[in-house]
Each structure stands twice: as structure tokens, then as C-alpha cells.
């Protein structure tokens, strides 16, 4: 990174160049810079923190009058967020996913979702990104909990660029949004993608054997890795980035289902309640008649220490592992009908 | 019983004469007991206990306009003990925010906005409450919003004493005093009862004033049925950049003699109960 270049590049005008100038920033830090930048254009934006800002927050630095570190009180932070929104502000409230979503769950339900408050709950440490901190700091149920709440928009960006775009979009959106981030990765997807739009899944790769639907930094990266490995095996994979889990882009699910013969969801979340469940619900409700393979946390807590990568591998969230699982299922389709009963889809 | 309508712009606030307020309290109690006589009944004890608090606020202390309940210059009222919706609705009817006959007809009826816990769709109500322990945090946020813009709007939050068992209240107290939110007033309806019985036998709330004071509030205790005392407490100047807290000692079921000493938490009145209650309150509201 060129330190002298950084001030010349505007995050809002040229996000890709800004990200290239800051290659070391994880998405959770990219979000903080993006929030600080977009708040410059909208003085209604305030930022609430519950002692997990880590110090040196760029929002605090740029807008000290609009940054409130409230101390360790997630419940009051979210009640206050609703009060501030009622008073005309666009409110960003940050915590770890385990605390912002689940400790303060009823505050989210009553005073964000039900009240349709203009509050953006932004949580990092999604999935098992908290890794060696243990299950107290993992969030494998947050999407299941929040997807069940009416009025909430739920977004899980795949990399730095999408984090910038999602931050801008959620601030422009009137109403409650949950933005889920990870912790460790510095993901910069070097891939063509359509313009970001809340509620519209992004096609990252075309293919016609398998439809991979993923969200988040881990999910999308693993899906793309798996697609490459499958390609080497002669299996063509369509990859869809479902960054908005709610409202779910049902048309994208329908189209992927119609163009492929197996749907696979990939996410750093319990297989119960997240994207895997959402896609299954859609397949059933639209009567698409497709099998759905759900890759994710297999409904268990992970009480042992380890790196993020080690934990992901333990849950089968690695490109090679996913490709293998898919190959294990695909032989039942006509393309791979070798020594087994062909599946008539 | 005649429908009560607003007294005009800032009608409630212009009704500065303390002498009229007891009559308003009596009429609010008449409406509450009428709501207790609807098929679903109401949270009676805690609705009756806070009548004078609501009268002091809506009738004198607060800047509100029933004809423009969302006017930007208004003060805010948050009933955190939202189970006492009947009491708040009845007070809003008395001060002209809603029509009293519509309220009595529709209360808890199919499709009505008058739900058993406070509904933000009712004019004069800012937030849906009644899941306890949220109102103070909401009020802290709302007060902060006005403070950020240098606006004089004030926020009044009514909590129950049993409700102070919720830890979120103590979080919010800390934030309010740390942020020196002088526009915030917490009023605790200290009626000594909660759903399952006397507060003191379930979770003691003794020394509330000292506790609130220690948390950085300007706190005092008053007789919560003494309108002049309540008004004085709510209008006294705030000093030292502290938010205000008023612990109002009240009686569950207050003002209805047949309930004296046994004010129920929830009640469904029979026609005979209603007749006796209204007779004791004076049907003409005098």
C-alpha cells in the first residue's frame, strides 16, 4: 500500500481503488471506514458501540459528536437505537453477532423489526470467525433467528467491495437491516459481478450441472473454489452470491434450479435456519423438485480451540471438501451415471 | 358519559390550573373501570395507580397537542409498563387524543388499535411497550436525539417498580447519567405490586431513591396521588447536569374505594362491579 496514495483515493467514488490501497483491511474494518465516509454525506447517521470498537474507530475519528461508545450494554444500545431512529437519525449499532443478535434478541425483535426502526445492526464475528475464542463468541444461529423476524433485511457480504456497497445500500434503505460480517479474512474477489442491489443475488459464474448458492466471505470463497475444482473434473458449476438472505431472491433460486440438476448451499452458519433452509423453503414453495445439499455447520457447537481455517475444515467448509461431497451426490445424475441408478430429474 | 375532546392547541398544557386536575383524574378512572368491564378486562391495579402521574404530565407538565400528536416540538411520553395500556388510553381519551366512546367500544376488540399492551398506532403513543425493560432505553435514545440537535424536547418514561427487576433498566440508567441527559425524566410508579404478588416478597425494590441517586439521577420520592406534589417534583429545576427520577408512591387500584387494599393486577369487571365502581367515582365526573 502506498501511504501517500490513500488520502487521494475516495472510498465512495472509487471503492475498488480505495480497497487496493488498503489491502490489509478485513471487511469489518472496511465497514468502519465505509460508514465513516458515507456519514460524511448524511449528518443523520450516528454510530453506537458497546465496548467492542477496538479503539481508533475511523467513524469516531471523523465524527466524534456522532459516535457513542455506551459501554457493555447491548440491550440498552438497541433500545436507544430505536429511540434515536424515532428522533430522526439513521442509526448504526455494532456488536459481535453473538451479543448483538442473541443477547439483545428481544430488543432487535421489538424495537428494530416490529418498530421498523431505521437502525442498521452491524455485527462481526459471524459464524465461527471467533474461532479459538470458543462457542461463546461464535454465531452459528444468528441468521436463523433474524430471518424469522418480519421487516428485517438481512445481508452478508462476500468481500471488501461488497461490504462497501452493502454499507452504502443499507444506509440508503429506510428500515431495519442486519449486516453480518466475519472477523479474520481480507477477501477481495477478483471477479466480474453485476452492480450491487439489496435483494438481488449476484451471478458470479455460469454453469449447468450444479448450482452453488452461497453468502458471506467464507461461503462464496468456498463455493468458487469448489466450482473451479469441479470444472477440472468436467463438472460445470453455476455460482450465485446470495448476499441478501432476506428478502431472498427467489427468482434467482428458480432460475438456478431450472439451469442445473443439483442445488448446493454453502454458508458459515448452521445448516438449520440460514441460506440452506431458505433455499429449501423456496424449492418446496415453488415446487422446483430439486435436491438441495446444505453445506455449513452441521448443527453442533465447536468447543475446541483452533484457527478459523481449522474450524472451517472441521465443518467441511473447504473448496475441496465441498467438491468431493458434490461428486459423491452427482453420480446419481445421468451425466455421472457410472455403476449406479441414474437419477431422473 | 360525554366524549372528551381536546381543549385546542396545546390544550393540555394550557390547562394549568391545578384545581381542574382532580376532576380529570376521576374521569380517567371512570374510563378505566369501564375498560375493566369489557369482555377481556384490563390491567386494572396498575392502570389506576398511575392516573395522577398521567394527569400531572399530560395536564400540566408536558408540551403536547392532542390535535397534533406528532408535532416536532412535543415532549415525549413513554409508558414502559405497557401492560397498563388501559390507564394510558383512558388518559389519552381525557386529553383529547382519542375518542373515549370509541376506546370503550373497541378496546381489545377484533381489529382494533386498542390492544391490551400499548400500541404505537394509538395517537399520543410513541412506542409499542409492555414487554418490560425497554421504555427507559428507548427514552434515553430519544432524549439523546434531541440533545444532539440542541432541541428542548423532553422525554418522560413511566416504569413500574416491579419492572425495575429488568437489568436493561439499570444499563439505561448508567448511560443516561453518563451522557448527562437532562431532558430525561424517569417516573417509577411505586405501587408495590407485580403480576405474582407484592413486589417486596418477590424482588425487593427498597431504597429506590438512593439507588437512582447513586446512579447519577436527581431523585426524589413523592406521594404519587398528590397532584400538587407530583407537579412540583416534575417541574423542579434540574441541577448538575443530571437526569431526573421521581419515585411516586402509589396504591394499586387507587381511587376506587371498593378496591382499597386489594387492587388487583388484572381484572374483568361484571356489570355489578362496574355499577358500584362508577357510583363511587360519581358518574357525572364531578
Amino acid at each position: 500500500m502506498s501511504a501517500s496514495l490513500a488520502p487521494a483515493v475516495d472510498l465512495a467514488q472509487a471503492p475498488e481503488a480505495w480497497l487496493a490501497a488498503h489491502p490489509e483491511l478485513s471487511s469489518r474494518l472496511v465497514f468502519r471506514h465505509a460508514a465513516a465516509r458515507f456519514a460524511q454525506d448524511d449528518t443523520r447517521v450516528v454510530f453506537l458501540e458497546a465496548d467492542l470498537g477496538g479503539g481508533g474507530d475511523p467513524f469516531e475519528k471523523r465524527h466524534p459528536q456522532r459516535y457513542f461508545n455506551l459501554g457493555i450494554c447491548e440491550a440498552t444500545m438497541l433500545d436507544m437505537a430505536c429511540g434515536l431512529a424515532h428522533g430522526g437519525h439513521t442509526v448504526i449499532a455494532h456488536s459481535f453477532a453473538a451479543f448483538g443478535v442473541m443477547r439483545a434478541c428481544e430488543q432487535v425483535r421489538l424495537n428494530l423489526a416490529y418498530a421498523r426502526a431505521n437502525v442498521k445492526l452491524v455485527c462481526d464475528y459471524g459464524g465461527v470467525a471467533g474461532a479459538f475464542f470458543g462457542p461463546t463468541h461464535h454465531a452459528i444461529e444468528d441468521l436463523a433467528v433474524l430471518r424469522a423476524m418480519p421487516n428485517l433485511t438481512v445481508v452478508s457480504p462476500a468481500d471488501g467491495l461488497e461490504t462497501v456497497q452493502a454499507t452504502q445500500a443499507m444506509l440508503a434503505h429506510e428500515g431495519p437491516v442486519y449486516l453480518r460480517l466475519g472477523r479474520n479474512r481480507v477477501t477481495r474477489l477478483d471477479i466480474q459481478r453485476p452492480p450491487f442491489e439489496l435483494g438481488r443475488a449476484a451471478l458470479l459464474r455460469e454453469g449447468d450441472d450444479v448450482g452453488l448458492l452461497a453468502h458471506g466471505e467464507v461461503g462464496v470463497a468456498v463455493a468458487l473454489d469448489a466450482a473451479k475444482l469441479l470444472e477440472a473434473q468436467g463438472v460445470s458449476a453455476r455460482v450465485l452470491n446470495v448476499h441478501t438472505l432476506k428478502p431472498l431472491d427467489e427468482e434467482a433460486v428458480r432460475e438456478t434450479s431450472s439451469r442445473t440438476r443439483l442445488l448446493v448451499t454453502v454458508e458459515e452458519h448452521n445448516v438449520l435456519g440460514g441460506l440452506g433452509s431458505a433455499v429449501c423453503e423456496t424449492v418446496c414453495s415453488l415446487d422446483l423438485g430439486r435436491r438441495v445439499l446444505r453445506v455449513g455447520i452441521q448443527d453442533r457447537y465447536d468447543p475446541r480451540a483452533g484457527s478459523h481455517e481449522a474450524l472451517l475444515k472441521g465443518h467441511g467448509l473447504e473448496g475441496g471438501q465441498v467438491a468431493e461431497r458434490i461428486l459423491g451426490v452427482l453420480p446419481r445424475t445421468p451425466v455421472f451415471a457410472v455403476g449406479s441408478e441414474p437419477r431422473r430429474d | 358519559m360525554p366524549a372528551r375532546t381536546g381543549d385546542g392547541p396545546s390544550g393540555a398544557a394550557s390547562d394549568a390550573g391545578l384545581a381542574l386536575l382532580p376532576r380529570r383524574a376521576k374521569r380517567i378512572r371512570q374510563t378505566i373501570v369501564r375498560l375493566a368491564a369489557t369482555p377481556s378486562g384490563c390491567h386494572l391495579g396498575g392502570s389506576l395507580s398511575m392516573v395522577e402521574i398521567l394527569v400531572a404530565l399530560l395536564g400540566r407538565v408536558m408540551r403536547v397537542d392532542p390535535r397534533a400528536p406528532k408535532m416536532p416540538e412535543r415532549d415525549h411520553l413513554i409508558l414502559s409498563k405497557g401492560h397498563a395500556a388501559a390507564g394510558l388510553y383512558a388518559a389519552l381519551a381525557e386529553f383529547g387524543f382519542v375518542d373515549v366512546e370509541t376506546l370503550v367500544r373497541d378496546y381489545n376488540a377484533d381489529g382494533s388499535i386498542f390492544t391490551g399492551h400499548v400500541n404505537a398506532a394509538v395517537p399520543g403513543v410513541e412506542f409499542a411497550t409492555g414487554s418490560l425493560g425497554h421504555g427507559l432505553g428507548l427514552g434515553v435514545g430519544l432524549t439523546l436525539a434531541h440533545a444532539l440537535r440542541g432541541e428542548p424536547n423532553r422525554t418522560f418514561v413511566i416504569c413500574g417498580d416491579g419492572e425495575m427487576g429488568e437489568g436493561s433498566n439499570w444499563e439505561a440508567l448508567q448511560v443516561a447519567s453518563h451522557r448527562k441527559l437532562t431532558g430525561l425524566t424517569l417516573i417509577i410508579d411505586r405501587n408495590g405490586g407485580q403480576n405474582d404478588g407484592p413486589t417486596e416478597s418477590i424482588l425487593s425494590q427498597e431504597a429506590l431513591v438512593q439507588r437512582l441517586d447513586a446512579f447519577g439521577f436527581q431523585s426524589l420520592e413523592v406521594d404519587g396521588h398528590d397532584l400538587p406534589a407530583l407537579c412540583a417534583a416534575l417541574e423542579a429545576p434540574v441541577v448538575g447536569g443530571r437526569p431526573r427520577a421521581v419515585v411516586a408512591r402509589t396504591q394499586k387500584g387507587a381511587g376506587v374505594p371498593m378496591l382499597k387494599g386489594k387492587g388487583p393486577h388484572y381484572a374483568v369487571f361484571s356489570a355489578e362491579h362496574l355499577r358500584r365502581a362508577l357510583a363511587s367515582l360519581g358518574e357525572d365526573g364531578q
Side-chain angles (χ1 to χ4, degrees):
Chain A
M1 152 190 182
S2 162
S4 60
L5 175 67
V9 180
D10 180 38
L11 181 151
Q13 298 301 319
E16 285 170 274
W18 188 91
L19 288 163
H22 298 85
E24 79 290 357
L25 293 181
S26 64
S27 288
R28 63 185 173 126
L29 290 174
V30 167
F31 153 72
R32 288 177 178 277
H33 284 279
R37 172 61 187 87
F38 294 125
Q40 192 175 309
D41 301 331
D42 184 352
T43 57
R44 296 176 310 158
V45 178
V46 297
F47 196 120
L48 303 183
E49 187 69 74
D51 198 43
L52 291 174
D57 180 80
F59 196 106
E60 180 179 22
K61 195 173 170 186
R62 289 172 79 154
H63 316 290
Q65 304 303 318
R66 291 192 269 152
Y67 180 85
F68 302 94
N69 195 333
L70 304 170
I72 305 167
C73 54
E74 292 80 11
T76 283
M77 176 174 74
L78 293 178
D79 281 339
M80 277 182 71
C82 181
L84 278 156
H86 193 74
H89 290 280
T90 302
V91 187
I92 297 170
H94 167 264
S95 185
F96 293 173
F99 313 139
V101 175
M102 289 176 280
R103 181 199 296 258
C105 184
E106 205 219 12
Q107 277 74 16
V108 179
R109 182 180 85 95
L110 201 58
N111 293 321
L112 270 63
Y114 177 45
R116 293 180 191 264
N118 195 21
V119 176
K120 321 305 170 187
L121 174 61
V122 181
C123 293
D124 40 34
Y125 279 59
V128 293
F132 55 81
F133 289 125
T136 56
H137 285 54
H138 298 168
I140 62 170
E141 320 90 334
D142 55 328
L143 300 172
V145 170
L146 294 191
R147 232 171 39 81
M149 291 188 188
N151 303 332
L152 264 185
T153 296
V154 179
V155 186
S156 175
D159 72 344
L161 179 60
E162 203 164 273
T163 299
V164 172
Q165 294 167 331
T167 301
Q168 184 173 29
M170 77 172 182
L171 290 173
H173 172 83
E174 184 76 21
V177 178
Y178 175 55
L179 183 72
R180 186 202 211 220
L181 302 169
R183 173 178 185 270
N184 312 306
R185 298 168 75 102
V186 184
T187 308
R188 306 282 188 268
L189 294 175
D190 182 20
I191 195 166
Q192 285 293 316
R193 59 186 113 178
F196 182 87
E197 189 182 336
L198 284 177
R200 178 71 61 88
L203 182 64
L204 300 184
R205 185 186 167 112
E206 196 51 275
D208 52 21
D209 290 321
V210 184
L212 287 152
L213 302 105
H215 71 83
E217 289 183 277
V218 167
V220 172
V222 168
L224 287 169
D225 282 351
K228 266 185 223 161
L229 293 166
L230 287 169
E231 189 175 36
Q233 300 286 318
V235 176
S236 160
R238 183 175 216 257
V239 178
L240 210 62
N241 172 11
V242 190
H243 49 67
T244 307
L245 284 101
K246 191 178 179 184
L248 186 72
D249 187 346
E250 292 193 335
E251 187 47 41
V253 176
R254 182 205 294 273
E255 190 179 355
T256 303
S257 175
S258 71
R259 287 167 179 261
T260 61
R261 287 171 294 153
L262 172 70
L263 295 178
V264 181
T265 58
V266 189
E267 61 184 327
E268 190 181 2
H269 184 272
N270 198 344
V271 289
L272 306 180
L275 178 65
S277 291
V279 169
C280 287
E281 291 156 15
T282 303
V283 165
C284 283
S285 63
L286 299 184
D287 198 18
L288 302 179
R290 275 287 174 275
R291 182 176 179 189
V292 180
L293 183 65
R294 290 169 300 159
V295 176
I297 312 291
Q298 300 295 315
D299 199 27
R300 67 179 174 87
Y301 292 109
D302 212 340
R304 292 181 191 277
S307 68
H308 190 193
E309 284 66 32
L311 264 62
L312 291 174
K313 191 171 181 181
H315 292 287
L317 275 162
E318 203 183 53
Q321 293 172 306
V322 174
E324 261 182 49
R325 281 190 68 185
I326 291 170
L327 290 171
V329 171
L330 271 181
R332 285 181 284 160
T333 67
V335 171
F336 293 91
V338 181
S340 64
E341 182 72 19
R343 181 173 169 183
R344 305 293 178 196
D345 284 327
Chain B
M1 188 176 295
R4 300 287 163 189
T5 54
D7 297 338
S10 298
S14 70
D15 185 6
L18 275 170
L20 288 176
L21 298 185
R23 281 169 59 186
R24 288 191 175 280
K26 188 170 278 192
R27 286 196 294 258
I28 291 168
R29 288 197 162 90
Q30 289 171 344
T31 305
I32 293 171
V33 295
R34 291 177 72 197
L35 295 176
T38 56
S40 61
C42 74
H43 282 88
L44 183 60
S47 289
L48 290 166
S49 67
M50 66 174 185
V51 168
E52 279 76 16
I53 297 170
L54 292 170
V55 168
L57 288 171
L58 292 170
R60 178 161 170 122
V61 175
M62 289 178 64
R63 179 182 174 84
V64 289
D65 182 349
R67 295 194 304 195
K70 293 188 175 176
M71 68 173 180
E73 320 86 73
R74 72 190 182 279
D75 290 333
H76 305 279
L77 174 60
I78 301 172
L79 180 67
S80 192
K81 46 171 279 187
H83 54 279
L88 178 60
Y89 296 160
L92 290 171
E94 171 62 23
F95 288 101
F97 289 82
V98 298
D99 174 64
V100 70
E101 296 305 329
T102 304
L103 166 63
V104 174
R105 185 193 66 214
D106 291 355
Y107 179 71
N108 281 346
D110 293 351
S112 165
I113 59 171
F114 296 109
T115 49
H117 287 76
V118 171
N119 185 351
V122 174
V125 175
E126 305 263 1
F127 299 101
T129 54
S131 171
L132 299 175
H134 294 287
L136 189 54
L138 289 163
V140 170
L142 193 46
T143 309
L144 180 60
H146 289 299
L148 281 171
R149 295 193 293 266
E151 294 166 349
N153 311 54
R154 298 170 301 167
T155 304
F156 297 86
V157 179
I158 304 173
C159 286
D161 51 356
E163 185 186 2
M164 295 310 287
E166 293 282 2
S168 53
N169 287 319
W170 300 94
E171 288 185 9
L173 286 166
Q174 294 175 82
V175 174
S177 67
H178 181 81
R179 297 279 164 194
K180 301 186 186 309
L181 296 178
T182 54
L184 177 72
T185 296
L186 165 65
I187 303 156
I188 297 181
D189 181 10
R190 182 78 169 106
N191 64 27
Q194 57 193 89
N195 190 61
D196 283 359
T199 308
E200 298 322 291
S201 68
I202 295 169
L203 183 65
S204 171
Q205 297 296 338
E206 276 310 305
L208 263 179
V209 173
Q210 292 91 326
R211 285 201 246 169
L212 293 165
D213 221 46
F215 269 71
F217 276 57
Q218 175 176 309
S219 317
L220 78 166
E221 189 164 359
V222 297
D223 178 341
H225 299 304
D226 181 337
L227 276 163
L230 269 173
C231 291
L234 293 166
E235 290 176 331
V238 178
V239 294
R242 307 172 93 194
R244 185 203 310 266
V246 175
V247 177
R249 288 188 316 275
T250 62
Q251 303 285 325
K252 276 203 151 182
V256 180
M258 61 192 269
L259 300 175
K260 192 170 177 58
K262 53 181 178 180
H265 190 73
Y266 197 95
V268 183
F269 266 12
S270 65
E272 175 58 15
H273 282 131
L274 177 62
R275 190 192 63 73
R276 285 172 53 205
L278 284 177
S280 69
L281 283 162
E283 281 210 65
D284 60 356
Q286 301 303 307

